Amino acid sequence: MPADVRAARTACPKHMEYGPCGGVGFDGSCEIDEALRCPFVDGAAIAWHGVVAETGGGPSRGADPLPDPTPSPGAARVRDLLATRRIVVADFPARALDARSLAACVAAMSGPVDAVLSGDAGPARVQFAPSYRARLIADEGMLPFIGVNCRDRNRVALEGELAGLAHAGAGVVHCVTGDHTETGSRPDAKPVFDIDSTQLAALARAAGHLVSVGESPTTPPVGQRAARLREKEKAGADLCFVNHCGGAQPVARFIAEARALGSTSGFIPCIPIVLDEGSAHLLRTFTTLVLPPGYLDGILRAADPRAAGIVAAVELSRAMLALDGVVGIDLSGGAAPGREVEHARDLAEIARRLEDEL
Ligand code: SF4
């Protein structure tokens, strides 16, 4: 590991090697320590150099070549789908640790929505294990995209989950470093951060998965975000979820920058879903959230915020789907407590209105 990368890794509370994380402040401050300038924001993107063991035992995974993966059945399903049309993914609104809520939400969304993204949630950090969630969702008839974070498991536990996810039918494994435990509902827990999202992408690819990662184009270092994605692709990423960055124009700019660097990703921009004050509150908790000007207020001040939120999401989705390189959209956000199934129905309604654009 290069010396400057080692120094940055030592300073970073998440011990990231391929930083920064998506939570870095707009002023370059650390997500969890405002007094710390994130050590990754002022330099070039860290070049992909493999998954390196911290213990001094040498690389545990080579940078190149990666082992030939055996595609998981879920990954093959998604590749087939993406070969025919664009897709609608939706953040999964089901209550954590509640299989009945999970089944009810799948029933409400199945059909118009192609896949659900079930990942980390600040207000509900304790969830069914990723591979078990994938199996539950797949058994109910929905294609699961499963978020896996590096906060709660070390590399060995993650490798076990990745093997389980391939077996359980995960269509995509979405690799994130994860918010620190000092944010979210479980500050009592010790964070792990044995590896980071880029390294996790490599492990997921090696396990045969279709791999997605996130990038935040408007978060420092803005000029390095596309280059950072390129390094994640070298590690194993196939798809990029573009976090909320202010609308279709910033997404188009980001895709153009990435393509100029040789990016091969399919892009899935996040669409903010605001249907009431509860879903707006949840969206505001997202780190580095940038919404199109007036988006939130326009919905919440409408006579019927739910109807206005559906119309706004459809319009923004259409603008995103018109961009070169966009292979789908992600209806992003969450439900107000107790409105999980209604929220799922509204997501299905948004997806239904987009059928002609896919
Ligand atoms: S902002 Fe993220 S990457 Fe940067 S130092 Fe803080 S935790 Fe590490």
Side-chain angles (χ1 to χ4, degrees), residues 99 102 128-139 146 161 164-165 168:
L102 180 149
F128 289 138
S131 50
Y132 184 59
R133 248 182 300 145
R135 174 49 61 87
L136 288 175
I137 293 169
D139 283 353
I146 300 294
E161 278 300 327
L165 283 163

mmCIF file of all heavy atoms in Angstrom, residues 99 102 128-139 146 161 164-165 168:
data_model
loop_
_atom_site.group_PDB
_atom_site.id
_atom_site.type_symbol
_atom_site.label_atom_id
_atom_site.label_comp_id
_atom_site.label_asym_id
_atom_site.label_seq_id
_atom_site.Cartn_x
_atom_site.Cartn_y
_atom_site.Cartn_z
ATOM 1 N N ALA A 99 -41.127 -9.995 8.431
ATOM 2 C CA ALA A 99 -41.329 -10.751 7.192
ATOM 3 C C ALA A 99 -42.713 -10.500 6.599
ATOM 4 O O ALA A 99 -42.898 -10.557 5.378
ATOM 5 C CB ALA A 99 -41.118 -12.247 7.450
ATOM 6 N N LEU A 102 -42.508 -7.291 4.746
ATOM 7 C CA LEU A 102 -41.740 -7.567 3.523
ATOM 8 C C LEU A 102 -42.650 -8.179 2.447
ATOM 9 O O LEU A 102 -42.669 -7.735 1.295
ATOM 10 C CB LEU A 102 -40.584 -8.493 3.884
ATOM 11 C CG LEU A 102 -39.610 -8.939 2.801
ATOM 12 C CD1 LEU A 102 -38.222 -9.166 3.403
ATOM 13 C CD2 LEU A 102 -40.067 -10.228 2.132
ATOM 14 N N PHE A 128 -32.556 -8.252 9.141
ATOM 15 C CA PHE A 128 -32.218 -9.618 8.762
ATOM 16 C C PHE A 128 -30.895 -9.581 7.987
ATOM 17 O O PHE A 128 -30.606 -8.615 7.282
ATOM 18 C CB PHE A 128 -33.291 -10.214 7.862
ATOM 19 C CG PHE A 128 -34.597 -10.528 8.551
ATOM 20 C CD1 PHE A 128 -35.805 -10.236 7.931
ATOM 21 C CD2 PHE A 128 -34.631 -11.139 9.803
ATOM 22 C CE1 PHE A 128 -37.012 -10.526 8.545
ATOM 23 C CE2 PHE A 128 -35.836 -11.438 10.420
ATOM 24 C CZ PHE A 128 -37.027 -11.133 9.797
ATOM 25 N N ALA A 129 -30.114 -10.650 8.110
ATOM 26 C CA ALA A 129 -28.838 -10.720 7.388
ATOM 27 C C ALA A 129 -29.096 -10.557 5.883
ATOM 28 O O ALA A 129 -30.149 -10.974 5.376
ATOM 29 C CB ALA A 129 -28.152 -12.048 7.662
ATOM 30 N N PRO A 130 -28.157 -9.955 5.155
ATOM 31 C CA PRO A 130 -28.386 -9.700 3.724
ATOM 32 C C PRO A 130 -28.828 -10.936 2.934
ATOM 33 O O PRO A 130 -29.766 -10.863 2.134
ATOM 34 C CB PRO A 130 -27.022 -9.187 3.248
ATOM 35 C CG PRO A 130 -26.427 -8.541 4.460
ATOM 36 C CD PRO A 130 -26.882 -9.376 5.623
ATOM 37 N N SER A 131 -28.160 -12.065 3.152
ATOM 38 C CA SER A 131 -28.514 -13.242 2.345
ATOM 39 C C SER A 131 -29.916 -13.754 2.704
ATOM 40 O O SER A 131 -30.667 -14.202 1.835
ATOM 41 C CB SER A 131 -27.474 -14.351 2.515
ATOM 42 O OG SER A 131 -27.225 -14.592 3.873
ATOM 43 N N TYR A 132 -30.292 -13.637 3.979
ATOM 44 C CA TYR A 132 -31.640 -14.077 4.364
ATOM 45 C C TYR A 132 -32.693 -13.129 3.789
ATOM 46 O O TYR A 132 -33.743 -13.563 3.308
ATOM 47 C CB TYR A 132 -31.747 -14.135 5.890
ATOM 48 C CG TYR A 132 -33.060 -14.674 6.382
ATOM 49 C CD1 TYR A 132 -33.494 -15.948 6.026
ATOM 50 C CD2 TYR A 132 -33.893 -13.911 7.198
ATOM 51 C CE1 TYR A 132 -34.715 -16.438 6.464
ATOM 52 C CE2 TYR A 132 -35.106 -14.397 7.646
ATOM 53 C CZ TYR A 132 -35.511 -15.665 7.277
ATOM 54 O OH TYR A 132 -36.718 -16.154 7.712
ATOM 55 N N ARG A 133 -32.398 -11.832 3.804
ATOM 56 C CA ARG A 133 -33.315 -10.857 3.191
ATOM 57 C C ARG A 133 -33.490 -11.155 1.704
ATOM 58 O O ARG A 133 -34.599 -11.108 1.167
ATOM 59 C CB ARG A 133 -32.739 -9.449 3.355
ATOM 60 C CG ARG A 133 -33.539 -8.562 4.291
ATOM 61 C CD ARG A 133 -32.925 -7.179 4.357
ATOM 62 N NE ARG A 133 -31.574 -7.212 4.839
ATOM 63 C CZ ARG A 133 -30.606 -6.400 4.432
ATOM 64 N NH1 ARG A 133 -30.844 -5.494 3.515
ATOM 65 N NH2 ARG A 133 -29.398 -6.488 4.940
ATOM 66 N N ALA A 134 -32.383 -11.459 1.041
ATOM 67 C CA ALA A 134 -32.474 -11.768 -0.393
ATOM 68 C C ALA A 134 -33.380 -12.962 -0.626
ATOM 69 O O ALA A 134 -34.227 -12.957 -1.529
ATOM 70 C CB ALA A 134 -31.078 -12.034 -0.961
ATOM 71 N N ARG A 135 -33.213 -13.972 0.188
ATOM 72 C CA ARG A 135 -34.016 -15.174 0.000
ATOM 73 C C ARG A 135 -35.499 -14.881 0.263
ATOM 74 O O ARG A 135 -36.379 -15.314 -0.480
ATOM 75 C CB ARG A 135 -33.492 -16.289 0.921
ATOM 76 C CG ARG A 135 -34.308 -17.558 0.943
ATOM 77 C CD ARG A 135 -34.663 -18.114 -0.427
ATOM 78 N NE ARG A 135 -33.557 -18.486 -1.278
ATOM 79 C CZ ARG A 135 -32.949 -19.688 -1.261
ATOM 80 N NH1 ARG A 135 -33.355 -20.615 -0.432
ATOM 81 N NH2 ARG A 135 -31.965 -19.949 -2.084
ATOM 82 N N LEU A 136 -35.797 -14.136 1.325
ATOM 83 C CA LEU A 136 -37.192 -13.801 1.613
ATOM 84 C C LEU A 136 -37.817 -13.027 0.456
ATOM 85 O O LEU A 136 -38.938 -13.315 0.031
ATOM 86 C CB LEU A 136 -37.285 -12.967 2.899
ATOM 87 C CG LEU A 136 -37.036 -13.671 4.231
ATOM 88 C CD1 LEU A 136 -37.052 -12.649 5.367
ATOM 89 C CD2 LEU A 136 -38.060 -14.756 4.487
ATOM 90 N N ILE A 137 -37.101 -12.030 -0.044
ATOM 91 C CA ILE A 137 -37.640 -11.202 -1.126
ATOM 92 C C ILE A 137 -37.804 -12.033 -2.398
ATOM 93 O O ILE A 137 -38.837 -11.963 -3.081
ATOM 94 C CB ILE A 137 -36.708 -9.991 -1.372
ATOM 95 C CG1 ILE A 137 -36.742 -9.049 -0.167
ATOM 96 C CG2 ILE A 137 -37.116 -9.242 -2.640
ATOM 97 C CD1 ILE A 137 -35.656 -7.971 -0.185
ATOM 98 N N ALA A 138 -36.800 -12.848 -2.711
ATOM 99 C CA ALA A 138 -36.888 -13.683 -3.915
ATOM 100 C C ALA A 138 -38.025 -14.690 -3.795
ATOM 101 O O ALA A 138 -38.759 -14.940 -4.760
ATOM 102 C CB ALA A 138 -35.553 -14.397 -4.147
ATOM 103 N N ASP A 139 -38.189 -15.247 -2.612
ATOM 104 C CA ASP A 139 -39.266 -16.228 -2.420
ATOM 105 C C ASP A 139 -40.650 -15.602 -2.593
ATOM 106 O O ASP A 139 -41.617 -16.288 -2.950
ATOM 107 C CB ASP A 139 -39.165 -16.864 -1.027
ATOM 108 C CG ASP A 139 -38.060 -17.926 -0.958
ATOM 109 O OD1 ASP A 139 -37.488 -18.253 -2.016
ATOM 110 O OD2 ASP A 139 -37.784 -18.412 0.152
ATOM 111 N N ILE A 146 -29.358 -6.191 -3.165
ATOM 112 C CA ILE A 146 -29.092 -6.160 -1.723
ATOM 113 C C ILE A 146 -27.888 -5.282 -1.411
ATOM 114 O O ILE A 146 -26.792 -5.499 -1.944
ATOM 115 C CB ILE A 146 -28.864 -7.589 -1.183
ATOM 116 C CG1 ILE A 146 -30.101 -8.476 -1.429
ATOM 117 C CG2 ILE A 146 -28.539 -7.547 0.306
ATOM 118 C CD1 ILE A 146 -31.351 -8.075 -0.667
ATOM 119 N N GLU A 161 -21.365 -13.782 3.500
ATOM 120 C CA GLU A 161 -22.623 -13.197 3.032
ATOM 121 C C GLU A 161 -22.682 -13.183 1.506
ATOM 122 O O GLU A 161 -23.715 -13.443 0.907
ATOM 123 C CB GLU A 161 -22.784 -11.773 3.562
ATOM 124 C CG GLU A 161 -23.324 -11.696 4.980
ATOM 125 C CD GLU A 161 -24.701 -12.322 5.131
ATOM 126 O OE1 GLU A 161 -25.511 -12.259 4.191
ATOM 127 O OE2 GLU A 161 -24.959 -12.907 6.191
ATOM 128 N N GLY A 164 -23.576 -16.488 0.297
ATOM 129 C CA GLY A 164 -25.001 -16.721 0.566
ATOM 130 C C GLY A 164 -25.890 -15.941 -0.382
ATOM 131 O O GLY A 164 -26.926 -16.435 -0.835
ATOM 132 N N LEU A 165 -25.495 -14.720 -0.715
ATOM 133 C CA LEU A 165 -26.306 -13.892 -1.610
ATOM 134 C C LEU A 165 -26.397 -14.495 -3.010
ATOM 135 O O LEU A 165 -27.445 -14.422 -3.653
ATOM 136 C CB LEU A 165 -25.723 -12.475 -1.673
ATOM 137 C CG LEU A 165 -26.038 -11.599 -0.459
ATOM 138 C CD1 LEU A 165 -25.107 -10.387 -0.408
ATOM 139 C CD2 LEU A 165 -27.489 -11.147 -0.482
ATOM 140 N N ALA A 168 -28.819 -17.242 -2.712
ATOM 141 C CA ALA A 168 -30.183 -16.818 -2.367
ATOM 142 C C ALA A 168 -30.884 -16.069 -3.497
ATOM 143 O O ALA A 168 -32.049 -15.706 -3.360
ATOM 144 C CB ALA A 168 -30.131 -15.930 -1.121
#
